[in-house]
Amino acid sequence: MSMLDVGKWPVFALLPPEELRLIRQACVFGSAANEALYVTVNDEVFALGTNCSGCLGLGDLQSTIEPRRIDVLCGKKIESLSYGTGPHVVIATTDGEVFAWGHNGYSQLGNGTTNHGLTLPCKRVTEVACGSHHTIALTTDGEVFAWGYNNSGQVGSGSTANQPTPRRVSSCLQNKVVVNIACGQLCSMAVLDNGEIYGWGYNCNGQLGLGNNGNQQTPCRIAALQGVNIVRVACGYAHTLALTDEGMVYAWGANSYGQLGTGNKSNQALPTLINTDKERSDGGGGCMSHQPHVSCQDPERAGSDVGSVSGSGCSQPPPHPFSSTDDVFACFATPAVTWHLLSVDGDDYLTVAQSLKKEFDSPEISDLKFLVDGKCIHVHKALLKIRCEHFRTLLNETDEDTLEIHQFSYLVYRAFLEYLYTDTINLPPEDAIGLLDLATFYRETRLKRLCQETIKRGISEENAVTLLSAAVKYEARDLEEFCFKFCVNHLTAVTQTQAFADMDHDLLKNFISKASRYGAFKN
Protein backbone atom coordinates (compact mmCIF):
# COMPACT_ATOMS: atom_id res chain seq x y z
CA MET A 1 0.00 0.00 0.00
CA SER A 2 1.13 3.57 -0.51
CA MET A 3 2.01 6.25 2.00
CA LEU A 4 -1.22 8.12 1.43
CA ASP A 5 -3.27 5.06 2.33
CA VAL A 6 -2.10 5.21 5.97
CA GLY A 7 -3.35 8.79 6.15
CA LYS A 8 -6.82 7.69 5.08
CA TRP A 9 -7.42 6.11 8.49
CA PRO A 10 -9.19 8.86 10.52
CA VAL A 11 -7.13 8.31 13.68
CA PHE A 12 -4.01 9.39 11.75
CA ALA A 13 -5.62 12.57 10.41
CA LEU A 14 -3.75 14.82 12.85
CA LEU A 15 -0.32 13.40 12.10
CA PRO A 16 1.80 15.70 9.92
CA PRO A 17 2.82 14.36 6.49
CA GLU A 18 6.45 14.03 7.54
CA GLU A 19 5.39 11.67 10.35
CA LEU A 20 3.15 9.61 8.03
CA ARG A 21 6.08 9.15 5.67
CA LEU A 22 8.02 7.38 8.44
CA ILE A 23 5.34 4.74 9.12
CA ARG A 24 6.15 1.19 8.01
CA GLN A 25 3.55 -0.78 10.01
CA ALA A 26 0.29 0.33 11.60
CA CYS A 27 -2.79 -1.05 13.33
CA VAL A 28 -6.00 0.82 14.14
CA PHE A 29 -8.36 -0.68 16.72
CA GLY A 30 -10.89 0.12 19.46
CA SER A 31 -14.68 0.39 19.57
CA ALA A 32 -14.53 3.73 17.75
CA ALA A 33 -11.29 3.20 15.79
CA ASN A 34 -9.68 5.76 18.07
CA GLU A 35 -6.59 3.84 19.11
CA ALA A 36 -3.55 3.07 16.99
CA LEU A 37 -0.06 1.64 17.13
CA TYR A 38 2.57 2.18 14.47
CA VAL A 39 6.18 1.30 13.73
CA THR A 40 8.55 3.71 11.99
CA VAL A 41 11.41 3.17 9.55
CA ASN A 42 13.74 3.23 12.56
CA ASP A 43 11.83 0.42 14.30
CA GLU A 44 10.46 2.83 16.89
CA VAL A 45 6.96 1.98 18.13
CA PHE A 46 4.41 4.71 18.88
CA ALA A 47 0.83 4.73 20.17
CA LEU A 48 -1.94 7.30 20.18
CA GLY A 49 -5.63 7.44 21.02
CA THR A 50 -8.03 7.09 23.92
CA ASN A 51 -6.09 4.31 25.68
CA CYS A 52 -9.14 2.37 26.92
CA SER A 53 -8.07 -0.22 29.54
CA GLY A 54 -4.45 0.77 28.93
CA CYS A 55 -4.58 -0.78 25.47
CA LEU A 56 -1.88 1.53 24.09
CA GLY A 57 0.79 -0.25 26.13
CA LEU A 58 2.12 2.98 27.62
CA GLY A 59 1.92 1.83 31.24
CA ASP A 60 -0.86 4.28 32.12
CA LEU A 61 -4.46 5.09 31.21
CA GLN A 62 -3.83 8.56 29.75
CA SER A 63 -5.34 9.35 26.36
CA THR A 64 -3.08 11.10 23.88
CA ILE A 65 -3.51 12.78 20.50
CA GLU A 66 0.26 13.15 20.28
CA PRO A 67 2.07 9.88 19.47
CA ARG A 68 3.96 8.47 22.47
CA ARG A 69 6.85 6.04 22.23
CA ILE A 70 6.54 2.50 23.63
CA ASP A 71 10.16 2.19 24.71
CA VAL A 72 10.09 -1.53 25.54
CA LEU A 73 9.08 -2.37 21.96
CA CYS A 74 11.47 -0.04 20.13
CA GLY A 75 14.04 -1.95 18.12
CA LYS A 76 11.95 -5.13 18.18
CA LYS A 77 10.62 -6.02 14.74
CA ILE A 78 6.91 -6.90 14.92
CA GLU A 79 5.99 -10.09 13.08
CA SER A 80 2.30 -10.38 14.04
CA LEU A 81 -0.25 -8.27 15.91
CA SER A 82 -3.83 -8.92 16.97
CA TYR A 83 -6.36 -7.30 19.28
CA GLY A 84 -9.54 -8.21 21.10
CA THR A 85 -12.58 -6.05 21.81
CA GLY A 86 -11.78 -5.61 25.54
CA PRO A 87 -9.55 -4.20 24.17
CA HIS A 88 -6.36 -6.15 24.63
CA VAL A 89 -3.39 -6.25 22.26
CA VAL A 90 -0.91 -9.07 21.64
CA ILE A 91 2.17 -8.96 19.39
CA ALA A 92 4.85 -11.42 18.35
CA THR A 93 8.29 -10.20 17.29
CA THR A 94 10.56 -11.70 14.65
CA ASP A 95 12.63 -13.07 17.54
CA GLY A 96 9.59 -15.07 18.67
CA GLU A 97 8.85 -13.00 21.78
CA VAL A 98 5.23 -12.29 22.75
CA PHE A 99 4.03 -9.09 24.45
CA ALA A 100 0.50 -8.41 25.68
CA TRP A 101 -1.28 -5.48 27.32
CA GLY A 102 -4.69 -3.92 27.85
CA HIS A 103 -7.89 -5.41 29.30
CA ASN A 104 -7.20 -8.46 31.43
CA GLY A 105 -10.49 -9.27 33.13
CA TYR A 106 -10.45 -12.83 31.74
CA SER A 107 -6.68 -13.50 31.90
CA GLN A 108 -6.41 -12.81 28.17
CA LEU A 109 -2.92 -11.38 28.76
CA GLY A 110 -1.81 -14.75 30.06
CA ASN A 111 0.34 -13.41 32.92
CA GLY A 112 -2.12 -11.84 35.37
CA THR A 113 -0.92 -8.26 34.81
CA THR A 114 -2.38 -5.31 32.93
CA ASN A 115 0.75 -4.40 31.00
CA HIS A 116 3.17 -5.91 28.51
CA GLY A 117 5.53 -8.69 29.44
CA LEU A 118 4.07 -12.05 28.44
CA THR A 119 6.62 -14.48 27.03
CA LEU A 120 6.14 -18.14 26.12
CA PRO A 121 9.15 -19.91 27.64
CA CYS A 122 11.41 -21.75 25.19
CA LYS A 123 8.92 -21.24 22.35
CA ARG A 124 9.32 -18.94 19.38
CA VAL A 125 5.98 -17.51 18.25
CA THR A 126 5.31 -16.59 14.63
CA GLU A 127 1.64 -15.57 14.73
CA VAL A 128 -0.93 -14.38 17.29
CA ALA A 129 -4.72 -14.06 17.11
CA CYS A 130 -7.23 -12.59 19.55
CA GLY A 131 -10.88 -13.28 20.17
CA SER A 132 -12.94 -10.86 22.22
CA HIS A 133 -11.24 -11.94 25.47
CA HIS A 134 -9.02 -14.88 24.58
CA THR A 135 -5.73 -15.27 22.74
CA ILE A 136 -4.00 -18.00 20.71
CA ALA A 137 -0.42 -18.16 19.46
CA LEU A 138 1.33 -20.25 16.81
CA THR A 139 4.95 -21.33 17.32
CA THR A 140 7.69 -22.13 14.81
CA ASP A 141 7.13 -25.81 15.63
CA GLY A 142 3.54 -25.60 14.42
CA GLU A 143 2.10 -25.82 17.94
CA VAL A 144 -0.85 -23.71 19.15
CA PHE A 145 -1.06 -22.19 22.63
CA ALA A 146 -4.20 -20.56 24.03
CA TRP A 147 -5.27 -18.61 27.11
CA GLY A 148 -8.00 -16.32 28.48
CA TYR A 149 -11.79 -16.42 28.44
CA ASN A 150 -13.15 -19.91 27.84
CA ASN A 151 -16.92 -19.89 28.42
CA SER A 152 -17.53 -21.71 25.11
CA GLY A 153 -14.40 -23.84 24.88
CA GLN A 154 -12.50 -21.34 22.70
CA VAL A 155 -9.24 -22.12 24.52
CA GLY A 156 -9.55 -25.75 23.40
CA SER A 157 -8.68 -27.26 26.78
CA GLY A 158 -11.62 -29.65 26.98
CA SER A 159 -13.43 -27.60 29.63
CA THR A 160 -15.05 -24.17 29.98
CA ALA A 161 -12.77 -22.95 32.77
CA ASN A 162 -10.86 -19.79 31.99
CA GLN A 163 -7.18 -20.37 31.21
CA PRO A 164 -4.92 -17.86 33.07
CA THR A 165 -1.63 -18.82 31.37
CA PRO A 166 -0.68 -20.15 27.91
CA ARG A 167 -1.57 -23.81 27.46
CA ARG A 168 -0.80 -26.08 24.52
CA VAL A 169 -3.88 -26.92 22.43
CA SER A 170 -3.38 -30.63 21.88
CA SER A 171 -6.22 -33.15 21.60
CA CYS A 172 -6.46 -34.06 17.90
CA LEU A 173 -3.83 -31.40 17.04
CA GLN A 174 -1.22 -33.49 18.86
CA ASN A 175 1.68 -34.37 16.52
CA LYS A 176 0.21 -32.16 13.76
CA VAL A 177 1.80 -29.02 12.28
CA VAL A 178 -0.35 -25.87 12.25
CA VAL A 179 0.56 -23.17 9.71
CA ASN A 180 -2.16 -20.52 10.21
CA ILE A 181 -4.52 -19.46 13.01
CA ALA A 182 -7.49 -17.10 13.45
CA CYS A 183 -10.04 -16.15 16.09
CA GLY A 184 -13.66 -15.18 15.95
CA GLN A 185 -15.37 -13.45 18.85
CA LEU A 186 -15.63 -16.69 20.88
CA CYS A 187 -14.05 -19.35 18.66
CA SER A 188 -10.66 -20.38 17.28
CA MET A 189 -9.52 -21.86 13.96
CA ALA A 190 -6.32 -23.57 12.79
CA VAL A 191 -5.04 -24.63 9.35
CA LEU A 192 -2.61 -27.56 9.12
CA ASP A 193 0.31 -28.03 6.74
CA ASN A 194 -1.65 -30.82 5.00
CA GLY A 195 -4.56 -28.45 4.18
CA GLU A 196 -6.93 -29.64 6.92
CA ILE A 197 -8.78 -27.04 8.98
CA TYR A 198 -9.94 -27.33 12.60
CA GLY A 199 -12.25 -25.22 14.76
CA TRP A 200 -13.26 -25.03 18.41
CA GLY A 201 -15.32 -22.84 20.74
CA TYR A 202 -18.66 -21.11 20.24
CA ASN A 203 -20.73 -22.46 17.35
CA CYS A 204 -24.32 -21.22 17.69
CA ASN A 205 -24.10 -19.53 14.28
CA GLY A 206 -22.35 -22.47 12.63
CA GLN A 207 -19.04 -20.59 12.56
CA LEU A 208 -17.05 -23.80 13.13
CA GLY A 209 -18.33 -25.25 9.84
CA LEU A 210 -19.20 -28.61 11.38
CA GLY A 211 -22.77 -28.84 10.11
CA ASN A 212 -24.29 -28.29 13.55
CA ASN A 213 -24.64 -25.53 16.16
CA GLY A 214 -23.03 -27.20 19.15
CA ASN A 215 -20.07 -25.64 20.96
CA GLN A 216 -16.78 -27.57 20.87
CA GLN A 217 -14.33 -27.64 23.79
CA THR A 218 -11.54 -29.26 21.76
CA PRO A 219 -10.46 -28.84 18.11
CA CYS A 220 -12.69 -30.55 15.54
CA ARG A 221 -11.76 -31.09 11.90
CA ILE A 222 -14.16 -29.66 9.32
CA ALA A 223 -15.02 -32.91 7.60
CA ALA A 224 -16.97 -31.19 4.83
CA LEU A 225 -13.67 -29.84 3.46
CA GLN A 226 -11.99 -33.22 3.24
CA GLY A 227 -9.98 -33.37 0.01
CA VAL A 228 -9.84 -29.54 -0.19
CA ASN A 229 -6.42 -28.01 0.51
CA ILE A 230 -6.97 -24.95 2.75
CA VAL A 231 -4.04 -22.53 3.00
CA ARG A 232 -5.47 -19.62 5.01
CA VAL A 233 -8.40 -18.84 7.30
CA ALA A 234 -9.95 -15.61 8.63
CA CYS A 235 -12.72 -15.01 11.13
CA GLY A 236 -15.25 -12.25 11.58
CA TYR A 237 -17.36 -11.79 14.68
CA ALA A 238 -19.28 -15.01 14.01
CA HIS A 239 -18.40 -16.12 10.49
CA THR A 240 -15.39 -17.67 8.81
CA LEU A 241 -13.71 -17.54 5.38
CA ALA A 242 -11.13 -20.02 4.10
CA LEU A 243 -8.89 -19.81 1.03
CA THR A 244 -7.78 -22.91 -0.90
CA ASP A 245 -4.53 -23.50 -2.75
CA GLU A 246 -6.48 -23.07 -6.00
CA GLY A 247 -7.81 -19.64 -5.10
CA MET A 248 -11.28 -20.88 -4.14
CA VAL A 249 -13.05 -19.35 -1.15
CA TYR A 250 -15.39 -21.10 1.27
CA ALA A 251 -17.57 -19.30 3.82
CA TRP A 252 -19.71 -20.38 6.75
CA GLY A 253 -21.33 -19.08 9.94
CA ALA A 254 -23.44 -15.98 10.64
CA ASN A 255 -24.86 -14.25 7.57
CA SER A 256 -27.36 -11.65 8.81
CA TYR A 257 -25.41 -8.90 7.01
CA GLY A 258 -24.80 -10.96 3.87
CA GLN A 259 -21.17 -11.33 4.96
CA LEU A 260 -20.84 -14.82 3.49
CA GLY A 261 -21.43 -13.60 -0.05
CA THR A 262 -23.91 -16.38 -0.80
CA GLY A 263 -26.57 -14.08 -2.18
CA ASN A 264 -28.86 -14.45 0.83
CA LYS A 265 -28.79 -13.75 4.58
CA SER A 266 -29.17 -17.29 5.87
CA ASN A 267 -26.57 -18.69 8.27
CA GLN A 268 -24.50 -21.58 6.95
CA ALA A 269 -23.36 -24.37 9.27
CA LEU A 270 -21.34 -26.03 6.50
CA PRO A 271 -18.65 -24.49 4.27
CA THR A 272 -20.18 -22.97 1.14
CA LEU A 273 -18.19 -22.21 -2.00
CA ILE A 274 -18.68 -18.52 -2.73
CA ASN A 275 -16.95 -18.20 -6.07
CA THR A 276 -17.44 -20.28 -9.22
CA ASP A 277 -14.86 -22.10 -11.34
CA LYS A 278 -14.99 -19.15 -13.70
CA GLU A 279 -13.77 -16.89 -10.91
CA ARG A 280 -10.95 -19.11 -9.71
CA SER A 281 -7.42 -17.86 -9.45
CA ASP A 282 -5.65 -18.57 -12.74
CA GLY A 283 -2.38 -16.79 -12.04
CA GLY A 284 -3.00 -14.10 -14.63
CA GLY A 285 -5.75 -11.81 -13.33
CA GLY A 286 -5.21 -8.45 -11.69
CA CYS A 287 -5.31 -8.45 -7.88
CA MET A 288 -4.90 -6.16 -4.92
CA SER A 289 -2.25 -8.34 -3.27
CA HIS A 290 0.54 -10.64 -4.36
CA GLN A 291 0.01 -12.98 -1.39
CA PRO A 292 -3.22 -14.93 -1.03
CA HIS A 293 -5.28 -13.71 1.89
CA VAL A 294 -8.79 -13.53 3.16
CA SER A 295 -10.16 -10.96 5.55
CA CYS A 296 -13.27 -10.48 7.63
CA GLN A 297 -14.62 -7.38 9.29
CA ASP A 298 -17.14 -7.83 12.08
CA PRO A 299 -20.63 -6.31 11.79
CA GLU A 300 -20.87 -5.83 15.53
CA ARG A 301 -17.50 -4.09 15.49
CA ALA A 302 -17.83 -2.34 12.16
CA GLY A 303 -21.48 -1.50 11.49
CA SER A 304 -21.56 -3.71 8.39
CA ASP A 305 -19.31 -6.37 6.98
CA VAL A 306 -16.60 -5.48 4.55
CA GLY A 307 -14.84 -8.62 3.29
CA SER A 308 -11.99 -9.09 0.89
CA VAL A 309 -10.54 -12.06 -0.89
CA SER A 310 -7.48 -11.96 -3.11
CA GLY A 311 -4.76 -14.24 -4.38
CA SER A 312 -1.90 -14.39 -6.81
CA GLY A 313 -4.45 -13.98 -9.57
CA CYS A 314 -8.19 -13.33 -9.75
CA SER A 315 -10.90 -12.36 -12.18
CA GLN A 316 -11.04 -8.69 -13.09
CA PRO A 317 -13.06 -6.71 -10.52
CA PRO A 318 -15.30 -3.84 -11.63
CA PRO A 319 -13.54 -0.44 -11.81
CA HIS A 320 -13.09 1.28 -8.45
CA PRO A 321 -10.86 4.02 -7.00
CA PHE A 322 -9.19 1.85 -4.34
CA SER A 323 -5.61 0.61 -4.52
CA SER A 324 -6.14 -2.08 -1.86
CA THR A 325 -8.80 -3.61 0.35
CA ASP A 326 -7.31 -1.67 3.26
CA ASP A 327 -8.46 1.52 1.52
CA VAL A 328 -12.01 0.15 1.62
CA PHE A 329 -11.82 -0.49 5.36
CA ALA A 330 -10.37 2.98 5.97
CA CYS A 331 -13.08 4.74 3.99
CA PHE A 332 -16.20 2.68 4.70
CA ALA A 333 -15.89 0.55 7.85
CA THR A 334 -17.59 1.92 10.96
CA PRO A 335 -15.52 2.06 13.03
CA ALA A 336 -12.55 2.21 10.65
CA VAL A 337 -10.44 -0.47 12.32
CA THR A 338 -7.80 -2.52 10.53
CA TRP A 339 -8.31 -6.27 10.31
CA HIS A 340 -4.57 -6.91 10.43
CA LEU A 341 -1.24 -5.17 10.86
CA LEU A 342 -0.86 -2.87 7.86
CA SER A 343 2.53 -2.98 6.17
CA VAL A 344 3.72 0.03 4.20
CA ASP A 345 6.24 -0.34 1.42
CA GLY A 346 8.77 2.44 1.79
CA ASP A 347 9.77 2.23 -1.86
CA ASP A 348 6.29 2.79 -3.25
CA TYR A 349 5.92 4.42 -6.61
CA LEU A 350 4.49 7.94 -6.33
CA THR A 351 2.09 9.34 -8.91
CA VAL A 352 2.73 12.78 -10.41
CA ALA A 353 0.18 14.30 -8.02
CA GLN A 354 1.75 12.58 -5.01
CA SER A 355 5.23 13.67 -6.06
CA LEU A 356 4.18 17.30 -6.44
CA LYS A 357 2.42 17.30 -3.07
CA LYS A 358 5.53 15.83 -1.45
CA GLU A 359 7.74 18.62 -2.82
CA PHE A 360 5.53 21.53 -1.79
CA ASP A 361 7.38 23.92 0.57
CA SER A 362 10.45 21.71 0.46
CA PRO A 363 13.65 23.79 0.18
CA GLU A 364 15.74 20.96 -1.23
CA ILE A 365 15.09 21.53 -4.97
CA SER A 366 12.95 24.68 -4.96
CA ASP A 367 14.10 27.67 -7.01
CA LEU A 368 11.80 30.36 -5.58
CA LYS A 369 10.65 31.39 -2.14
CA PHE A 370 7.93 33.75 -1.02
CA LEU A 371 8.44 35.81 2.11
CA VAL A 372 5.11 36.39 3.88
CA ASP A 373 4.83 37.79 7.41
CA GLY A 374 8.52 37.03 7.86
CA LYS A 375 8.10 33.33 6.96
CA CYS A 376 9.37 31.51 3.86
CA ILE A 377 7.37 29.29 1.50
CA HIS A 378 9.49 27.27 -0.96
CA VAL A 379 8.11 26.62 -4.44
CA HIS A 380 9.09 25.87 -8.05
CA LYS A 381 8.83 28.52 -10.76
CA ALA A 382 7.97 26.09 -13.54
CA LEU A 383 5.01 24.63 -11.67
CA LEU A 384 3.65 28.08 -10.75
CA LYS A 385 3.87 29.18 -14.39
CA ILE A 386 2.02 26.06 -15.53
CA ARG A 387 -0.70 26.33 -12.90
CA CYS A 388 -1.44 30.05 -12.64
CA GLU A 389 -1.71 32.78 -15.29
CA HIS A 390 -0.76 35.43 -12.73
CA PHE A 391 2.56 33.74 -12.03
CA ARG A 392 3.24 33.05 -15.70
CA THR A 393 3.20 36.78 -16.31
CA LEU A 394 4.97 37.76 -13.08
CA LEU A 395 7.81 35.25 -13.29
CA ASN A 396 8.51 35.99 -16.94
CA GLU A 397 9.20 39.56 -15.89
CA THR A 398 11.56 38.88 -12.98
CA ASP A 399 14.59 36.71 -12.19
CA GLU A 400 14.31 37.18 -8.42
CA ASP A 401 14.53 34.06 -6.29
CA THR A 402 12.74 35.71 -3.33
CA LEU A 403 9.47 37.61 -3.56
CA GLU A 404 7.80 39.46 -0.69
CA ILE A 405 4.03 39.41 -0.32
CA HIS A 406 2.28 42.08 1.75
CA GLN A 407 -1.41 42.06 0.83
CA PHE A 408 -2.18 38.55 2.15
CA SER A 409 -1.40 36.67 5.37
CA TYR A 410 1.05 33.78 5.55
CA LEU A 411 -1.75 31.32 6.30
CA VAL A 412 -3.78 32.38 3.26
CA TYR A 413 -0.87 32.65 0.84
CA ARG A 414 0.54 29.29 1.85
CA ALA A 415 -2.89 27.70 1.33
CA PHE A 416 -3.02 29.27 -2.13
CA LEU A 417 0.39 27.93 -3.14
CA GLU A 418 -0.45 24.51 -1.67
CA TYR A 419 -3.63 24.50 -3.78
CA LEU A 420 -1.50 24.92 -6.90
CA TYR A 421 0.39 21.75 -5.92
CA THR A 422 -2.55 19.65 -4.73
CA ASP A 423 -5.82 20.96 -6.25
CA THR A 424 -7.28 21.08 -2.75
CA ILE A 425 -7.52 23.73 -0.03
CA ASN A 426 -6.54 23.03 3.54
CA LEU A 427 -8.06 25.83 5.61
CA PRO A 428 -10.80 26.13 8.24
CA PRO A 429 -13.95 27.93 6.99
CA GLU A 430 -13.24 31.19 8.83
CA ASP A 431 -9.81 31.50 7.19
CA ALA A 432 -11.16 30.57 3.76
CA ILE A 433 -12.61 34.11 3.48
CA GLY A 434 -9.09 35.47 3.08
CA LEU A 435 -8.39 32.85 0.42
CA LEU A 436 -11.62 33.84 -1.32
CA ASP A 437 -10.28 37.40 -1.44
CA LEU A 438 -7.04 36.12 -2.99
CA ALA A 439 -8.88 33.93 -5.50
CA THR A 440 -10.92 36.94 -6.60
CA PHE A 441 -7.77 39.08 -6.88
CA TYR A 442 -5.90 36.47 -8.97
CA ARG A 443 -9.02 35.53 -10.96
CA GLU A 444 -8.74 31.87 -9.96
CA THR A 445 -12.28 30.71 -10.70
CA ARG A 446 -11.96 27.12 -9.48
CA LEU A 447 -10.22 28.16 -6.28
CA LYS A 448 -12.98 30.69 -5.68
CA ARG A 449 -15.56 27.92 -6.01
CA LEU A 450 -13.68 25.65 -3.57
CA CYS A 451 -13.45 28.49 -1.05
CA GLN A 452 -17.19 29.05 -1.24
CA GLU A 453 -17.86 25.36 -0.57
CA THR A 454 -15.48 25.40 2.41
CA ILE A 455 -17.10 28.52 3.85
CA LYS A 456 -20.58 27.04 3.48
CA ARG A 457 -19.58 24.08 5.65
CA GLY A 458 -18.61 26.42 8.49
CA ILE A 459 -21.63 28.71 8.53
CA SER A 460 -23.39 29.32 11.86
CA GLU A 461 -25.88 31.79 13.33
CA GLU A 462 -22.97 33.75 14.83
CA ASN A 463 -20.92 34.15 11.63
CA ALA A 464 -23.65 34.09 8.94
CA VAL A 465 -23.74 37.90 8.53
CA THR A 466 -19.93 38.11 8.39
CA LEU A 467 -19.86 35.46 5.68
CA LEU A 468 -22.68 37.20 3.80
CA SER A 469 -20.71 40.44 3.88
CA ALA A 470 -17.61 38.67 2.54
CA ALA A 471 -19.62 37.03 -0.25
CA VAL A 472 -21.00 40.42 -1.36
CA LYS A 473 -17.57 42.06 -1.14
CA TYR A 474 -15.85 39.40 -3.26
CA GLU A 475 -18.78 38.96 -5.68
CA ALA A 476 -19.24 35.32 -4.74
CA ARG A 477 -22.82 35.05 -5.94
CA ASP A 478 -23.41 31.43 -5.05
CA LEU A 479 -22.08 31.92 -1.53
CA GLU A 480 -24.05 35.14 -1.16
CA GLU A 481 -27.29 33.35 -1.98
CA PHE A 482 -26.43 30.50 0.38
CA CYS A 483 -25.64 32.85 3.29
CA PHE A 484 -28.74 34.95 2.63
CA LYS A 485 -31.04 31.93 2.76
CA PHE A 486 -29.34 30.73 5.94
CA CYS A 487 -29.90 34.14 7.56
CA VAL A 488 -33.58 34.14 6.56
CA ASN A 489 -34.09 30.61 7.87
CA HIS A 490 -32.45 31.54 11.20
CA LEU A 491 -33.64 35.14 11.24
CA THR A 492 -34.41 35.54 14.94
CA ALA A 493 -31.05 34.20 16.11
CA VAL A 494 -29.07 36.01 13.38
CA THR A 495 -30.64 39.42 14.13
CA GLN A 496 -29.53 39.10 17.75
CA THR A 497 -25.82 38.74 16.89
CA GLN A 498 -23.27 41.52 17.16
CA ALA A 499 -22.38 41.05 13.49
CA PHE A 500 -25.95 41.94 12.51
CA ALA A 501 -25.86 45.06 14.71
CA ASP A 502 -22.59 46.11 13.02
CA MET A 503 -23.79 45.36 9.48
CA ASP A 504 -22.94 47.89 6.77
CA HIS A 505 -25.87 50.25 6.18
CA ASP A 506 -26.24 49.50 2.47
CA LEU A 507 -25.93 45.76 3.04
CA LEU A 508 -28.54 45.91 5.81
CA LYS A 509 -30.89 47.88 3.57
CA ASN A 510 -30.51 45.36 0.76
CA PHE A 511 -30.88 42.44 3.15
CA ILE A 512 -34.15 43.75 4.62
CA SER A 513 -35.51 44.50 1.18
CA LYS A 514 -34.67 41.06 -0.18
CA ALA A 515 -35.81 39.29 2.98
CA SER A 516 -39.19 41.00 2.81
CA ARG A 517 -39.64 39.73 -0.74
CA TYR A 518 -39.03 36.25 0.63
CA GLY A 519 -41.81 36.80 3.14
CA ALA A 520 -39.46 36.77 6.13
CA PHE A 521 -41.42 39.45 8.02
CA LYS A 522 -44.93 38.09 7.56
CA ASN A 523 -46.84 37.00 10.65
Side-chain angles (χ1 to χ4, degrees):
M1 54 184 289
S2 70
M3 282 304 182
L4 292 179
D5 293 330
V6 179
K8 287 180 181 178
W9 298 88
V11 71
F12 290 126
L14 294 178
L15 287 189
E18 57 271 21
E19 186 75 18
L20 288 176
R21 283 196 288 269
L22 297 176
I23 294 177
R24 287 296 171 265
Q25 292 174 298
C27 184
V28 180
F29 57 98
S31 60
N34 48 11
E35 280 131 352
L37 300 170
Y38 67 89
V39 185
T40 70
V41 291
N42 301 315
D43 288 324
E44 291 186 306
V45 183
F46 290 87
L48 72 158
T50 54
N51 206 12
C52 179
S53 299
C55 66
L56 295 184
L58 298 169
D60 57 45
L61 300 176
Q62 298 299 311
S63 299
T64 175
I65 59 172
E66 291 284 334
R68 289 173 56 191
R69 238 170 63 124
I70 306 177
D71 292 329
V72 72
L73 295 180
C74 290
K76 296 182 181 294
K77 297 183 186 297
I78 296 178
E79 177 77 13
S80 177
L81 180 152
S82 188
Y83 60 87
T85 56
H88 74 289
V89 178
V90 182
I91 70 164
T93 71
T94 53
D95 291 332
E97 290 182 295
V98 178
F99 293 86
W101 60 89
H103 190 278
N104 198 30
Y106 298 93
S107 301
Q108 59 264 47
L109 300 188
N111 67 343
T113 75
T114 55
N115 214 324
H116 38 250
L118 167 67
T119 303
L120 293 182
C122 303
K123 297 290 181 179
R124 295 187 71 239
V125 172
T126 60
E127 188 177 1
V128 291
C130 296
S132 61
H133 298 91
H134 79 287
T135 308
I136 63 176
L138 176 64
T139 72
T140 52
D141 299 328
E143 298 175 343
V144 177
F145 287 77
W147 59 95
Y149 194 37
N150 193 36
N151 68 327
S152 302
Q154 58 266 44
V155 166
S157 60
S159 76
T160 56
N162 291 349
Q163 179 63 37
T165 55
R167 177 187 181 280
R168 169 95 188 271
V169 180
S170 52
S171 183
C172 55
L173 292 186
Q174 190 77 32
N175 301 320
K176 291 184 169 65
V177 177
V178 177
V179 294
N180 179 227
I181 56 174
C183 286
Q185 180 83 340
L186 295 168
C187 70
S188 306
M189 304 295 299
V191 178
L192 304 192
D193 60 349
N194 63 3
E196 293 179 349
I197 181 168
Y198 287 74
W200 60 97
Y202 190 72
N203 192 37
C204 285
N205 296 285
Q207 55 263 58
L208 299 186
L210 304 174
N212 59 54
N213 296 108
N215 294 349
Q216 298 294 325
Q217 296 176 8
T218 56
C220 292
R221 185 169 69 86
I222 301 179
L225 290 176
Q226 184 171 0
V228 177
N229 191 24
I230 301 297
V231 294
R232 196 156 179 85
V233 65
C235 297
Y237 182 91
H239 76 290
T240 309
L241 300 181
L243 179 70
T244 76
D245 61 344
E246 296 181 331
M248 312 284 279
V249 176
Y250 287 85
W252 59 93
N255 198 27
S256 55
Y257 293 87
Q259 57 262 50
L260 300 186
T262 56
N264 58 51
K265 294 187 178 181
S266 300
N267 291 1
Q268 299 290 331
L270 285 170
T272 302
L273 186 63
I274 63 169
N275 53 355
T276 66
D277 286 344
K278 180 181 175 182
E279 294 169 317
R280 289 170 60 180
S281 166
D282 60 8
C287 270
M288 299 186 218
S289 168
H290 294 301
Q291 296 298 322
H293 73 264
V294 291
S295 71
C296 299
Q297 188 80 355
D298 303 338
E300 285 81 350
R301 280 193 279 192
S304 64
D305 249 47
V306 184
S308 71
V309 180
S310 61
S312 58
C314 60
S315 60
Q316 288 292 336
H320 57 75
F322 302 105
S323 61
S324 74
T325 51
D326 294 315
D327 282 2
V328 181
F329 287 125
C331 297
F332 294 110
T334 306
V337 294
T338 64
W339 66 272
H340 67 152
L341 182 66
L342 302 180
S343 294
V344 182
D345 183 358
D347 297 319
D348 275 345
Y349 168 79
L350 295 179
T351 64
V352 173
Q354 290 167 340
S355 298
L356 292 179
K357 183 176 182 179
K358 181 172 175 282
E359 291 303 324
F360 170 67
D361 201 15
S362 173
E364 192 173 341
I365 59 171
S366 68
D367 56 2
L368 175 66
K369 62 183 177 182
F370 286 96
L371 195 59
V372 191
D373 296 339
K375 301 176 185 175
C376 287
I377 308 170
H378 300 270
V379 292
H380 307 79
K381 291 180 182 178
L383 184 138
L384 265 53
K385 287 181 182 180
I386 292 170
R387 294 281 287 149
C388 179
E389 190 63 38
H390 165 78
F391 286 126
R392 181 174 299 185
T393 303
L394 175 67
L395 297 177
N396 280 339
E397 296 173 352
T398 179
D399 291 327
E400 297 289 332
D401 57 10
T402 302
L403 296 175
E404 285 195 58
I405 301 296
H406 301 289
Q407 64 267 50
F408 300 106
S409 69
Y410 170 81
L411 188 69
V412 166
Y413 212 74
R414 191 179 193 282
F416 168 51
L417 295 174
E418 187 173 10
Y419 159 77
L420 296 179
Y421 278 74
T422 65
D423 266 334
T424 59
I425 60 173
N426 185 21
L427 274 180
E430 58 270 20
D431 294 318
I433 295 174
L435 190 58
L436 177 63
D437 179 19
L438 182 149
T440 305
F441 181 77
Y442 284 156
R443 298 180 181 177
E444 287 287 331
T445 306
R446 183 178 181 275
L447 177 58
K448 191 171 179 178
R449 187 168 64 250
L450 286 177
C451 289
Q452 292 182 68
E453 293 304 315
T454 300
I455 293 168
K456 286 178 185 179
R457 290 196 294 270
I459 196 168
S460 66
E461 294 165 350
E462 283 296 321
N463 67 15
V465 170
T466 302
L467 299 184
L468 175 64
S469 302
V472 172
K473 178 179 179 181
Y474 302 125
E475 299 179 353
R477 303 300 181 201
D478 181 51
L479 179 61
E480 178 184 347
E481 188 65 20
F482 177 85
C483 293
F484 170 77
K485 288 181 179 178
F486 182 92
C487 289
V488 170
N489 291 333
H490 302 81
L491 192 59
T492 301
V494 168
T495 55
Q496 293 174 354
T497 63
Q498 187 61 43
F500 186 84
D502 297 338
M503 192 187 293
D504 174 79
H505 177 75
D506 288 338
L507 180 60
L508 177 61
K509 182 178 175 182
N510 289 337
F511 175 79
I512 292 173
S513 174
K514 189 175 180 182
S516 65
R517 293 198 299 273
Y518 271 74
F521 304 115
K522 292 181 180 179
N523 290 329

